[in-house]
Amino acid sequence: EVQLVESGGGLVQAGGSLRLSCAASGFTFDDYNIAWFRQAPGKEREGVSCISSRDGSTYYADSVKGRFTISSDNAKNTVYLQMNSLKPEDTAVYYCTRATVCYTTNVALGALIDYWGQGTQVTVSS
């Protein structure tokens, strides 16, 4: 059974940092990408970042470039999202997903996703 378990969300002041973790199990970790998506109340889901567990390639939405860093510990089957310089507009539920493909366009980050985690809340106060 594929499982993606997020942790690390919480409440932080603007300018602060959080590190999200996604522990994956039930599949061959190296064969897939892991992507983070987020959804704020009343807004569509948005791709945030993605990493290839195979070769470490990374992708970022323009809105988080330079502030967020995605990394992978293949020995632990875990992906991390380090979020620095957080802004109130980063407030959302963050989802870890398993993706067969990740890509960026001139407006967004996208992915072909087949599994979602349960999500973790990130709240940034002003």
Side-chain angles (χ1 to χ4, degrees):
E1 178 188 7
V2 173
Q3 288 194 320
L4 301 165
V5 180
E6 303 99 332
S7 61
L11 173 63
V12 64
Q13 289 189 329
S17 298
L18 283 174
R19 188 178 80 157
L20 304 184
S21 299
C22 172
S25 62
F27 61 97
T28 303
F29 189 70
D30 291 358
D31 287 346
Y32 291 90
N33 304 302
I34 300 293
W36 288 95
F37 275 68
R38 67 186 181 186
Q39 188 166 22
K43 295 188 177 180
E44 293 187 358
R45 276 180 183 163
E46 174 190 20
V48 176
S49 185
C50 180
I51 187 167
S52 166
S53 301
R54 183 181 299 110
D55 63 12
S57 300
T58 58
Y59 307 78
Y60 295 95
D62 286 347
S63 59
V64 306
K65 275 181 185 175
R67 300 189 299 122
F68 290 12
T69 302
I70 192 169
S71 62
S72 177
D73 185 338
N74 286 24
K76 296 182 178 180
N77 286 6
T78 299
V79 169
Y80 304 98
L81 186 67
Q82 178 67 44
M83 306 186 295
N84 298 329
S85 302
L86 282 161
K87 305 175 181 180
E89 51 264 43
D90 294 317
T91 295
V93 177
Y94 284 70
Y95 297 92
C96 172
T97 73
R98 191 181 81 168
T100 52
V101 176
C102 290
Y103 57 90
T104 53
T105 69
N106 58 345
V107 294
L109 180 146
L112 297 180
I113 295 166
D114 56 4
Y115 285 94
W116 293 76
Q118 82 285 355
T120 186
Q121 177 70 46
V122 171
T123 304
V124 184
S125 63
S126 56

